[in-house]
Amino acid sequence: MRSFTYQGVEYRSLQECCCKLKISYHKVRRLCRHYVRAHHDPVVAVRWCLGVDKLSHLEPRTPQYPQDLVKSYDRQEKFKDRIYQKFIDNF
């Protein structure tokens, strides 16, 4: 990850910034992965997480977004199958 400046402080990584500001690194990383503006400038994602700016439903998405939706759906289906199988085995 490249370095960036937020409120006059230069951060060498997104993780360093999230630790200092006490916000979820995974949430900010996911926003950077899914939204075009945040992908180009991680400060946008940090501001969304801090509540300084609001994330609009009209925000353009990156090509990774639909891929992640498919992966998420597949993980959810595997989980449901595993839980169902445990239920059948115990019954």
Side-chain angles (χ1 to χ4, degrees), residues 52-89:
V52 177
D53 294 336
K54 290 192 177 190
L55 175 61
S56 170
H57 69 283
L58 300 174
E59 193 71 38
R61 294 193 168 101
T62 63
Q64 287 93 1
Y65 180 77
Q67 294 170 358
D68 286 354
L69 280 181
V70 170
K71 288 179 185 177
S72 175
Y73 179 79
D74 290 344
R75 280 192 302 271
Q76 185 179 29
E77 288 301 313
K78 285 180 186 177
F79 174 76
K80 286 179 183 177
D81 290 343
R82 192 171 69 240
I83 296 299
Y84 179 75
Q85 195 60 40
K86 281 184 182 178
F87 177 77
I88 296 298
D89 291 345

Side-chain angles (χ1 to χ4, degrees), residues 3-6 10 16-17 22 26 31-32 34 38-39 44 52-53 62-64 68 72 74 87:
S3 63
F4 61 94
T5 304
Y6 178 67
E10 185 170 345
E16 177 189 353
C17 176
K22 296 185 172 138
H26 298 289
L31 288 171
C32 289
H34 289 176
H39 182 74
V44 175
V52 177
D53 294 336
T62 63
Q64 287 93 1
D68 286 354
S72 175
D74 290 344
F87 177 77

